[in-house]
Each structure stands twice: as C-alpha cells, then as structure tokens.
Amino acid sequence: MSPKTRKLLAKKKGIMLDISFGGKPQPRSVTLGPTGDVKHDPRTIPFPLPKECVNTAVITHVLEYIPPEDFFRWFDELWRVVQPFGTVYVSGPYGGDDSFGWLTDPTHKTRILEQTFAWLDPRTPLYKEHEKVGRKTPKPWYPMALARVPGTEGSISYNCVLQRRVEP
C-alpha cells in the first residue's frame, strides 16, 4: 500500500456504531448496549468511546427510553463521538397520538415526532428557543431525511437521517 493510500485511509477512519434495544445489529458494526461489543447502557452518558471515532451510527428503539430532561445532553454526547459530517440513522416508535406502538408501552419516556429533530437543527426557529426556555443550546445536527413509516403489527414508526455539523 502506498504512503498516500495509507494516509488517506487513516484520515477516513471511523467505525459504524450500532446503538439498539432490539433488532439485528448492522453487519461489521460495533454494538453499544447491555450485551454489545461495548457493554454500556445506551441511555447512560457519557459513552465509553473516544471523541470523533464514529463515521456512521444506527440508533434503533433507544430515543423513546431517554428521559426528556436528558434528551439534548444525550444528543450532545452522540455529537462528541461522531466525526464532523458523520451520518446518524435513527428509528423508533412514532410518538403521535395515533401510534399505539408508542402509547401502549408504559416504559416509553419521550415522544418523537418529525418536528422533534428541528430542536437540533440551527436552521430552524425551534433551535433558537432553547435559550428562551432556560436550556443550553445543543450541538448542531442537520436532519437530512425525515419520514413517518409503517411499524410492526400496524403501528407507526419514524425514520430520521441526521448529519453531525461543525459548531460555528
């Protein structure tokens, strides 16, 4: 391998991180969870990972278990471990009143709708509301795609693709 190729690969290095409370892990990913490669409760921060070691993250059925008061701090911790312009795929039960998947589970703590991710996006008016309500402004994420999709057994889920942005 040429020194130029070696340098390029070192620069582009990063893991695929799978943070999930269910489902089959992504092939070749590093899993973070109670039974994962990195044994750690994904609801608990900080994550036992170095800064900017993740280039892609897949998060499935986790956000609904994050207490609302920890939601933005949790995303700040994810921001810490994801590389600049890294991609995060998030999915879980849709938190709307028409979603029995979210409503019927008494352990769910946080409702997630498409608009929830606007609170993480500095391009939206909601991002500027953090300060007004006495909350620290979270690290910037850009939602790249948002969708309400069919879930299991007739329920509704959400899918979101986020990109970690660099702070101004």
Side-chain angles (χ1 to χ4, degrees), residues 6-161:
R6 188 169 287 131
K7 184 177 178 182
L8 176 66
L9 291 175
K11 181 180 176 185
K12 302 277 184 172
K13 196 174 358 179
I15 64 170
M16 175 187 276
L17 180 65
D18 191 305
I19 304 175
S20 178
F21 279 138
K24 188 174 178 180
Q26 298 298 308
R28 299 186 316 273
S29 67
V30 173
T31 56
L32 184 143
T35 60
D37 301 316
V38 178
K39 293 188 181 358
H40 180 79
D41 184 333
R43 296 169 291 195
T44 306
I45 53 177
F47 301 144
L49 296 168
K51 178 180 176 184
E52 297 179 357
C53 68
V54 174
N55 64 21
T56 306
V58 176
I59 302 163
T60 309
H61 289 279
V62 173
L63 297 184
E64 64 270 22
Y65 297 105
I66 307 290
E69 62 273 12
D70 294 336
F71 185 82
F72 297 110
R73 288 187 318 114
W74 191 91
F75 264 99
D76 282 354
E77 178 60 10
L78 184 64
W79 191 94
R80 181 187 71 79
V81 301
V82 172
Q83 297 170 346
F85 304 102
T87 304
V88 175
Y89 300 89
V90 189
S91 67
Y94 186 74
D97 287 341
D98 52 348
S99 176
F100 70 85
W102 189 90
L103 293 170
T104 59
D105 187 336
T107 64
H108 288 168
K109 295 176 174 31
T110 300
R111 288 181 180 228
I112 308 295
L113 309 170
E114 300 94 336
Q115 296 86 347
T116 302
F117 298 100
W119 288 91
L120 298 167
D121 185 349
R123 301 171 297 179
T124 69
L126 285 177
Y127 191 77
K128 294 164 186 57
E129 294 294 315
H130 290 283
E131 219 174 90
K132 293 178 186 174
V133 297
R135 192 169 42 227
K136 181 183 172 214
T137 303
K139 304 289 187 191
W141 292 92
Y142 280 17
M144 307 302 282
L146 295 164
R148 193 182 318 185
V149 298
T152 58
E153 300 183 31
S155 66
I156 305 169
S157 294
Y158 68 86
N159 289 341
C160 179
V161 179

